[in-house]
Amino acid sequence: MTSHDVIDRVRQRLKIRKAGHTGTLDPLATGVLVLCLGRATRLSSYFADHDKTYSAHIRFGVRTSTLDAEGEVIARSGSVPGRLEDVRVAVDAFLGEIEQIPPMYSARKMDGRRLYKLAREGTEVARRPSRVRIYGIDIIEFRPPDLHLTVSSSKGTYIRTLADDIGRQLGCGAYLAGLRRTAAGPVSVDDCVALNHLESIGSEEELQPFLMDPNRLLRDLPRLNLDAVQAGRFVHGNAVTNIEAGTALESGRIVRALYPEGVLLGIGRWRAADRMLKPVRVLRQPES
């Protein structure tokens, strides 16, 4: 099941016209998929910037066409590492900022076409490497040929590619045998509800316990409190001036607009020279 399949099912079951997500999960993967419903879809691109945490299962000695368990085997090796220290050295080499080449079986676009569609046609194209950051890799268990890791990374990181690269580093090949996203920014798997449970909901009242305050997902953005007049201008798409920022804000920063304190109206761009906030995305009216 793809992330888009999840969106379709939720949209149909809850009878919601607009729905989106904040970061694609591979069909093989399970775990956290943050959904934006209704007007919250206007903020989805800002939610997508969050770092992610994964529980990954890597199997050594085999390479596949998709870099995961769903692909065809394209190479085998009888030389699988047996020492934990050798594996640890190889894994640690990928800490920090690294370059990754996006897999052919991915949703990235090349000349307007999804890479996975080209791959299904038997076409492989050169891809530009992307710079991503691996914040941490913890080895949970190593029982050759299987390695279990916890990986914390920046957005845009392909754990499939990381698995393949670790296998190359060790000279034996590897593929991603299993993947679970355990956190996306401040949202952990413990905050989530299973899809089949979500589909059993029959009313808006039953849905309420599973809705999250967008402020939680945008908590890394500075906040500005607007009064009634300022809030009225903001939600109608007009710039608001002479705002008391409270703390020095760098001009050009994206900030949260709140009214009353704690209620998110949307996000705007701050201009320090005249203490002006220009709306970028409006989420709700002050009285909503």
Side-chain angles (χ1 to χ4, degrees), residues 51-69:
D51 300 328
K52 311 293 192 300
T53 303
Y54 297 91
S55 177
H57 173 196
I58 297 173
R59 179 160 293 160
F60 294 122
V62 175
R63 293 189 67 231
T64 73
S65 57
T66 58
L67 312 186
D68 62 19

Side-chain angles (χ1 to χ4, degrees), residues 12 28 41-42 46 52-53 74 87 116 120 128 138 145 150 160 164 169 191 207 213 216 236 238 287:
Q12 291 171 15
L28 173 75
T41 56
R42 301 179 180 187
Y46 298 92
K52 311 293 192 300
T53 303
I74 57 175
V87 173
Y116 70 83
R120 289 171 182 170
R128 294 190 199 90
D138 296 321
T150 296
R160 281 180 291 151
D164 184 68
Q169 183 87 351
D191 297 314
L207 179 63
D213 183 351
R216 179 178 173 186
H236 287 99
N238 299 309
E287 65 275 10

Side-chain angles (χ1 to χ4, degrees), residues 29-100:
T30 62
V32 179
L33 183 67
V34 180
L35 305 185
C36 296
L37 308 179
R39 295 171 71 90
T41 56
R42 301 179 180 187
L43 305 178
S44 59
S45 61
Y46 298 92
F47 298 148
D49 289 339
H50 287 133
D51 300 328
K52 311 293 192 300
T53 303
Y54 297 91
S55 177
H57 173 196
I58 297 173
R59 179 160 293 160
F60 294 122
V62 175
R63 293 189 67 231
T64 73
S65 57
T66 58
L67 312 186
D68 62 19
E70 296 189 324
E72 297 180 2
V73 175
I74 57 175
R76 293 184 183 274
S77 171
S79 178
V80 172
R83 291 182 356 116
L84 175 60
E85 282 309 308
D86 294 335
V87 173
R88 193 183 304 279
V89 169
V91 164
D92 287 349
F94 293 93
L95 287 170
E97 191 172 271
I98 62 172
E99 285 194 343
Q100 278 194 336

Side-chain angles (χ1 to χ4, degrees), residues 125-181:
V125 296
R127 287 95 68 199
R128 294 190 199 90
S130 300
R131 297 200 71 82
V132 299
R133 182 168 288 276
I134 306 295
Y135 300 108
I137 308 180
D138 296 321
I139 295 177
I140 305 304
E141 183 180 44
F142 177 50
R143 291 187 179 182
D146 295 315
L147 174 67
H148 293 267
L149 302 171
T150 296
V151 181
S152 299
S153 63
S154 63
K155 70 168 186 174
T157 303
Y158 287 97
I159 307 300
R160 281 180 291 151
T161 300
L162 179 64
D164 184 68
D165 287 343
I166 291 173
R168 291 174 185 268
Q169 183 87 351
L170 288 164
C172 63
Y175 71 92
L176 188 65
L179 184 67
R180 183 169 180 79
R181 184 189 285 163

